[in-house]
Short mmCIF file of all heavy atoms in Angstrom, two decimals:
data_model
loop_
_atom_site.label_atom_id
_atom_site.label_comp_id
_atom_site.label_asym_id
_atom_site.label_seq_id
_atom_site.Cartn_x
_atom_site.Cartn_y
_atom_site.Cartn_z
N PRO A 1052 -11.68 -12.96 -2.77
CA PRO A 1052 -10.62 -12.80 -1.77
C PRO A 1052 -9.50 -11.98 -2.32
O PRO A 1052 -8.96 -12.26 -3.39
CB PRO A 1052 -10.16 -14.24 -1.50
CG PRO A 1052 -10.51 -14.97 -2.76
CD PRO A 1052 -11.75 -14.34 -3.28
N CYS A 1053 -9.16 -10.87 -1.59
CA CYS A 1053 -8.23 -9.91 -2.16
C CYS A 1053 -7.69 -9.07 -1.01
O CYS A 1053 -8.42 -8.68 -0.11
CB CYS A 1053 -8.96 -9.03 -3.19
SG CYS A 1053 -7.99 -7.68 -3.85
N GLY A 1054 -6.38 -8.76 -1.10
CA GLY A 1054 -5.78 -7.90 -0.08
C GLY A 1054 -6.33 -6.48 -0.14
O GLY A 1054 -6.34 -5.78 0.85
N GLY A 1055 -6.81 -6.06 -1.31
CA GLY A 1055 -7.47 -4.79 -1.44
C GLY A 1055 -6.57 -3.59 -1.64
O GLY A 1055 -6.98 -2.46 -1.44
N ALA A 1056 -5.33 -3.81 -2.08
CA ALA A 1056 -4.40 -2.70 -2.27
C ALA A 1056 -4.56 -2.06 -3.64
O ALA A 1056 -4.67 -2.73 -4.64
CB ALA A 1056 -2.97 -3.19 -2.13
N ILE A 1057 -4.60 -0.71 -3.64
CA ILE A 1057 -4.68 0.03 -4.91
C ILE A 1057 -3.68 1.18 -4.84
O ILE A 1057 -3.52 1.82 -3.82
CB ILE A 1057 -6.09 0.57 -5.18
CG1 ILE A 1057 -6.57 1.54 -4.11
CG2 ILE A 1057 -7.08 -0.59 -5.33
CD1 ILE A 1057 -7.87 2.23 -4.45
N PRO A 1058 -3.01 1.48 -5.96
CA PRO A 1058 -2.04 2.56 -5.99
C PRO A 1058 -2.74 3.92 -6.25
O PRO A 1058 -3.87 3.96 -6.76
CB PRO A 1058 -1.14 2.19 -7.18
CG PRO A 1058 -2.07 1.46 -8.10
CD PRO A 1058 -3.02 0.70 -7.22
N PRO A 1059 -2.12 5.02 -5.88
CA PRO A 1059 -2.70 6.33 -6.18
C PRO A 1059 -3.01 6.52 -7.67
O PRO A 1059 -3.94 7.27 -8.00
CB PRO A 1059 -1.62 7.30 -5.68
CG PRO A 1059 -0.89 6.56 -4.62
CD PRO A 1059 -0.88 5.12 -5.09
N LYS A 1060 -2.22 5.88 -8.53
CA LYS A 1060 -2.50 6.01 -9.98
C LYS A 1060 -3.88 5.54 -10.33
O LYS A 1060 -4.56 6.08 -11.19
CB LYS A 1060 -1.43 5.26 -10.75
CG LYS A 1060 -1.58 5.38 -12.29
CD LYS A 1060 -0.41 4.77 -13.02
CE LYS A 1060 -0.61 4.83 -14.52
NZ LYS A 1060 -0.72 6.21 -15.03
N LEU A 1061 -4.35 4.47 -9.68
CA LEU A 1061 -5.71 3.96 -9.95
C LEU A 1061 -6.72 5.01 -9.50
O LEU A 1061 -7.69 5.27 -10.23
CB LEU A 1061 -5.94 2.67 -9.17
CG LEU A 1061 -7.29 1.99 -9.35
CD1 LEU A 1061 -7.17 0.47 -9.17
CD2 LEU A 1061 -8.35 2.51 -8.39
N ILE A 1062 -6.52 5.58 -8.34
CA ILE A 1062 -7.45 6.62 -7.87
C ILE A 1062 -7.57 7.75 -8.84
O ILE A 1062 -8.68 8.23 -9.14
CB ILE A 1062 -6.98 7.12 -6.47
CG1 ILE A 1062 -7.00 5.96 -5.45
CG2 ILE A 1062 -7.85 8.26 -5.99
CD1 ILE A 1062 -6.37 6.31 -4.11
N ALA A 1063 -6.43 8.18 -9.39
CA ALA A 1063 -6.42 9.29 -10.35
C ALA A 1063 -6.99 8.90 -11.71
O ALA A 1063 -7.84 9.61 -12.28
CB ALA A 1063 -5.01 9.85 -10.47
N ASP A 1064 -6.51 7.76 -12.23
CA ASP A 1064 -6.87 7.38 -13.61
C ASP A 1064 -8.34 7.00 -13.75
O ASP A 1064 -8.91 7.16 -14.83
CB ASP A 1064 -5.98 6.22 -14.10
CG ASP A 1064 -4.57 6.64 -14.37
OD1 ASP A 1064 -4.24 7.85 -14.21
OD2 ASP A 1064 -3.74 5.76 -14.71
N PHE A 1065 -8.93 6.46 -12.67
CA PHE A 1065 -10.28 5.96 -12.78
C PHE A 1065 -11.27 6.77 -11.89
O PHE A 1065 -12.38 6.31 -11.65
CB PHE A 1065 -10.34 4.49 -12.39
CG PHE A 1065 -9.58 3.62 -13.35
CD1 PHE A 1065 -8.25 3.28 -13.11
CD2 PHE A 1065 -10.15 3.18 -14.53
CE1 PHE A 1065 -7.53 2.49 -13.98
CE2 PHE A 1065 -9.45 2.40 -15.43
CZ PHE A 1065 -8.13 2.06 -15.17
N ALA A 1066 -10.83 7.97 -11.46
CA ALA A 1066 -11.71 8.89 -10.70
C ALA A 1066 -12.41 8.19 -9.54
O ALA A 1066 -13.63 8.28 -9.37
CB ALA A 1066 -12.74 9.50 -11.66
N VAL A 1067 -11.62 7.48 -8.75
CA VAL A 1067 -12.14 6.78 -7.58
C VAL A 1067 -12.03 7.72 -6.38
O VAL A 1067 -10.95 8.22 -6.06
CB VAL A 1067 -11.36 5.49 -7.32
CG1 VAL A 1067 -11.77 4.90 -5.95
CG2 VAL A 1067 -11.62 4.48 -8.43
N PRO A 1068 -13.13 7.98 -5.68
CA PRO A 1068 -13.06 8.91 -4.54
C PRO A 1068 -12.28 8.29 -3.37
O PRO A 1068 -12.40 7.09 -3.09
CB PRO A 1068 -14.52 9.09 -4.14
CG PRO A 1068 -15.23 7.88 -4.67
CD PRO A 1068 -14.51 7.51 -5.90
N GLU A 1069 -11.46 9.10 -2.75
CA GLU A 1069 -10.64 8.60 -1.65
C GLU A 1069 -11.51 8.19 -0.43
O GLU A 1069 -11.01 7.51 0.46
CB GLU A 1069 -9.60 9.63 -1.24
CG GLU A 1069 -8.54 9.86 -2.32
CD GLU A 1069 -7.34 10.62 -1.81
OE1 GLU A 1069 -7.16 10.71 -0.58
OE2 GLU A 1069 -6.56 11.13 -2.64
N SER A 1070 -12.78 8.58 -0.44
CA SER A 1070 -13.66 8.16 0.63
C SER A 1070 -13.87 6.64 0.64
O SER A 1070 -14.31 6.10 1.65
CB SER A 1070 -15.02 8.85 0.50
OG SER A 1070 -15.61 8.55 -0.75
N LEU A 1071 -13.55 5.97 -0.49
CA LEU A 1071 -13.67 4.51 -0.53
C LEU A 1071 -12.51 3.82 0.19
O LEU A 1071 -12.59 2.62 0.44
CB LEU A 1071 -13.75 4.03 -1.97
CG LEU A 1071 -15.08 4.27 -2.71
CD1 LEU A 1071 -14.95 3.86 -4.15
CD2 LEU A 1071 -16.20 3.51 -2.03
N LEU A 1072 -11.46 4.56 0.47
CA LEU A 1072 -10.29 3.93 1.15
C LEU A 1072 -10.64 3.68 2.60
O LEU A 1072 -11.14 4.54 3.30
CB LEU A 1072 -9.06 4.88 1.06
CG LEU A 1072 -8.58 5.25 -0.33
CD1 LEU A 1072 -7.33 6.11 -0.24
CD2 LEU A 1072 -8.32 4.01 -1.17
N VAL A 1073 -10.35 2.47 3.02
CA VAL A 1073 -10.57 2.11 4.44
C VAL A 1073 -9.26 2.22 5.24
O VAL A 1073 -9.30 2.18 6.48
CB VAL A 1073 -11.16 0.69 4.58
CG1 VAL A 1073 -12.55 0.63 3.99
CG2 VAL A 1073 -10.25 -0.34 3.88
N ALA A 1074 -8.14 2.39 4.55
CA ALA A 1074 -6.87 2.60 5.22
C ALA A 1074 -5.86 3.13 4.22
O ALA A 1074 -6.02 2.96 3.00
CB ALA A 1074 -6.34 1.28 5.82
N ARG A 1075 -4.85 3.84 4.73
CA ARG A 1075 -3.70 4.30 3.93
C ARG A 1075 -2.46 3.66 4.51
O ARG A 1075 -2.12 3.90 5.66
CB ARG A 1075 -3.59 5.82 3.97
CG ARG A 1075 -4.66 6.56 3.23
CD ARG A 1075 -4.58 8.04 3.55
NE ARG A 1075 -5.51 8.82 2.79
CZ ARG A 1075 -5.17 9.64 1.77
NH1 ARG A 1075 -3.90 9.78 1.41
NH2 ARG A 1075 -6.09 10.32 1.13
N VAL A 1076 -1.81 2.86 3.71
CA VAL A 1076 -0.61 2.15 4.14
C VAL A 1076 0.61 2.98 3.76
O VAL A 1076 0.76 3.41 2.63
CB VAL A 1076 -0.53 0.75 3.51
CG1 VAL A 1076 0.85 0.14 3.68
CG2 VAL A 1076 -1.61 -0.14 4.10
N THR A 1077 1.51 3.16 4.72
CA THR A 1077 2.71 3.96 4.50
C THR A 1077 3.99 3.16 4.63
O THR A 1077 5.07 3.72 4.49
CB THR A 1077 2.76 5.14 5.47
OG1 THR A 1077 2.71 4.65 6.84
CG2 THR A 1077 1.58 6.10 5.25
N SER A 1078 3.87 1.86 4.86
CA SER A 1078 5.05 1.01 4.93
C SER A 1078 4.66 -0.44 4.74
O SER A 1078 3.47 -0.81 4.85
CB SER A 1078 5.79 1.19 6.27
OG SER A 1078 5.03 0.64 7.33
N ALA A 1079 5.66 -1.26 4.44
CA ALA A 1079 5.48 -2.70 4.38
C ALA A 1079 6.53 -3.36 5.23
O ALA A 1079 7.66 -2.82 5.42
CB ALA A 1079 5.58 -3.22 2.94
N ARG A 1080 6.20 -4.52 5.76
CA ARG A 1080 7.16 -5.30 6.51
C ARG A 1080 7.26 -6.68 5.82
O ARG A 1080 6.25 -7.39 5.68
CB ARG A 1080 6.74 -5.48 7.97
CG ARG A 1080 7.71 -6.33 8.79
CD ARG A 1080 7.29 -6.43 10.25
NE ARG A 1080 6.02 -7.10 10.42
CZ ARG A 1080 5.67 -7.72 11.54
NH1 ARG A 1080 6.46 -7.72 12.58
NH2 ARG A 1080 4.49 -8.31 11.64
N ILE A 1081 8.43 -7.00 5.35
CA ILE A 1081 8.68 -8.26 4.64
C ILE A 1081 9.34 -9.21 5.62
O ILE A 1081 10.41 -8.88 6.18
CB ILE A 1081 9.54 -8.07 3.39
CG1 ILE A 1081 9.09 -6.82 2.60
CG2 ILE A 1081 9.52 -9.30 2.52
CD1 ILE A 1081 7.67 -6.88 2.12
N VAL A 1082 8.78 -10.38 5.83
CA VAL A 1082 9.27 -11.32 6.86
C VAL A 1082 9.81 -12.56 6.18
O VAL A 1082 9.10 -13.18 5.37
CB VAL A 1082 8.16 -11.67 7.86
CG1 VAL A 1082 8.73 -12.55 8.98
CG2 VAL A 1082 7.52 -10.40 8.44
N SER A 1083 11.04 -12.95 6.54
CA SER A 1083 11.69 -14.10 5.95
C SER A 1083 11.31 -15.39 6.66
O SER A 1083 10.69 -15.36 7.74
CB SER A 1083 13.22 -13.91 6.01
OG SER A 1083 13.69 -14.19 7.32
N PRO A 1084 11.72 -16.55 6.12
CA PRO A 1084 11.42 -17.81 6.79
C PRO A 1084 12.02 -17.89 8.20
O PRO A 1084 11.43 -18.55 9.06
CB PRO A 1084 12.07 -18.85 5.85
CG PRO A 1084 12.03 -18.22 4.52
CD PRO A 1084 12.27 -16.76 4.77
N SER A 1085 13.15 -17.24 8.45
CA SER A 1085 13.75 -17.29 9.77
C SER A 1085 13.26 -16.17 10.67
O SER A 1085 13.82 -15.93 11.73
CB SER A 1085 15.28 -17.17 9.66
OG SER A 1085 15.68 -15.91 9.14
N ALA A 1086 12.22 -15.47 10.24
CA ALA A 1086 11.56 -14.35 10.96
C ALA A 1086 12.40 -13.08 10.98
O ALA A 1086 12.10 -12.15 11.74
CB ALA A 1086 11.25 -14.80 12.40
N ARG A 1087 13.42 -13.00 10.13
CA ARG A 1087 14.10 -11.71 9.92
C ARG A 1087 13.18 -10.81 9.14
O ARG A 1087 12.34 -11.29 8.33
CB ARG A 1087 15.42 -11.94 9.23
CG ARG A 1087 16.47 -12.66 10.07
CD ARG A 1087 17.73 -12.86 9.25
NE ARG A 1087 18.77 -13.55 9.97
CZ ARG A 1087 19.76 -12.98 10.65
NH1 ARG A 1087 19.83 -11.64 10.67
NH2 ARG A 1087 20.68 -13.68 11.29
N GLU A 1088 13.37 -9.52 9.30
CA GLU A 1088 12.45 -8.58 8.69
C GLU A 1088 13.18 -7.55 7.84
O GLU A 1088 14.29 -7.16 8.13
CB GLU A 1088 11.66 -7.85 9.79
CG GLU A 1088 10.80 -8.78 10.65
CD GLU A 1088 10.12 -8.02 11.78
OE1 GLU A 1088 10.27 -6.78 11.85
OE2 GLU A 1088 9.46 -8.69 12.61
N ALA A 1089 12.48 -7.10 6.81
CA ALA A 1089 12.91 -5.98 5.99
C ALA A 1089 11.82 -4.92 6.04
O ALA A 1089 10.69 -5.17 5.61
CB ALA A 1089 13.16 -6.39 4.55
N ALA A 1090 12.13 -3.77 6.59
CA ALA A 1090 11.17 -2.67 6.66
C ALA A 1090 11.25 -1.87 5.38
O ALA A 1090 12.34 -1.49 4.91
CB ALA A 1090 11.46 -1.78 7.85
N MET A 1091 10.10 -1.62 4.77
CA MET A 1091 10.03 -0.89 3.48
C MET A 1091 9.08 0.30 3.60
O MET A 1091 7.92 0.18 3.20
CB MET A 1091 9.63 -1.83 2.35
CG MET A 1091 10.61 -2.93 2.05
SD MET A 1091 10.15 -3.96 0.62
CE MET A 1091 10.19 -2.76 -0.74
N PRO A 1092 9.55 1.43 4.10
CA PRO A 1092 8.70 2.62 4.13
C PRO A 1092 8.40 3.10 2.71
O PRO A 1092 9.26 3.06 1.84
CB PRO A 1092 9.51 3.62 4.92
CG PRO A 1092 10.94 3.20 4.74
CD PRO A 1092 10.88 1.69 4.65
N VAL A 1093 7.18 3.55 2.46
CA VAL A 1093 6.81 4.06 1.15
C VAL A 1093 7.61 5.35 0.92
O VAL A 1093 7.67 6.24 1.78
CB VAL A 1093 5.30 4.33 1.05
CG1 VAL A 1093 4.95 4.90 -0.31
CG2 VAL A 1093 4.53 3.06 1.31
N THR A 1094 8.23 5.47 -0.25
CA THR A 1094 9.09 6.59 -0.54
C THR A 1094 8.30 7.82 -0.97
O THR A 1094 7.14 7.73 -1.41
CB THR A 1094 10.06 6.23 -1.67
OG1 THR A 1094 9.32 5.79 -2.80
CG2 THR A 1094 11.01 5.13 -1.21
N ASP A 1095 8.92 8.98 -0.82
CA ASP A 1095 8.42 10.28 -1.33
C ASP A 1095 7.03 10.63 -0.83
O ASP A 1095 6.26 11.30 -1.50
CB ASP A 1095 8.41 10.26 -2.87
CG ASP A 1095 9.82 10.11 -3.44
OD1 ASP A 1095 10.78 10.53 -2.76
OD2 ASP A 1095 9.95 9.59 -4.57
N GLY A 1096 6.74 10.21 0.41
CA GLY A 1096 5.45 10.60 1.01
C GLY A 1096 4.24 9.95 0.37
O GLY A 1096 3.12 10.41 0.58
N GLY A 1097 4.43 8.88 -0.38
CA GLY A 1097 3.32 8.21 -1.03
C GLY A 1097 2.56 7.30 -0.07
O GLY A 1097 2.88 7.19 1.11
#
């Protein structure tokens, strides 16, 4: 059981083809106990 997230550094360092990626995530949403949210867009086009 795993969320399946890998950074671009893994792709480069271990020669993993990008064809194995099933999705590219460009942001995260962090949700608090009171349902307030913090939007975290990935910086620098990553």
Side-chain angles (χ1 to χ4, degrees):
C1053 175
I1057 62 172
K1060 182 173 177 61
L1061 181 152
I1062 296 172
D1064 288 357
F1065 296 94
V1067 171
E1069 293 193 16
S1070 60
L1071 286 175
L1072 301 183
V1073 293
R1075 289 170 176 251
V1076 167
T1077 57
S1078 68
R1080 180 176 64 155
I1081 316 300
V1082 185
S1083 78
S1085 67
R1087 291 178 181 265
E1088 299 176 3
M1091 295 184 64
V1093 179
T1094 56
D1095 297 333

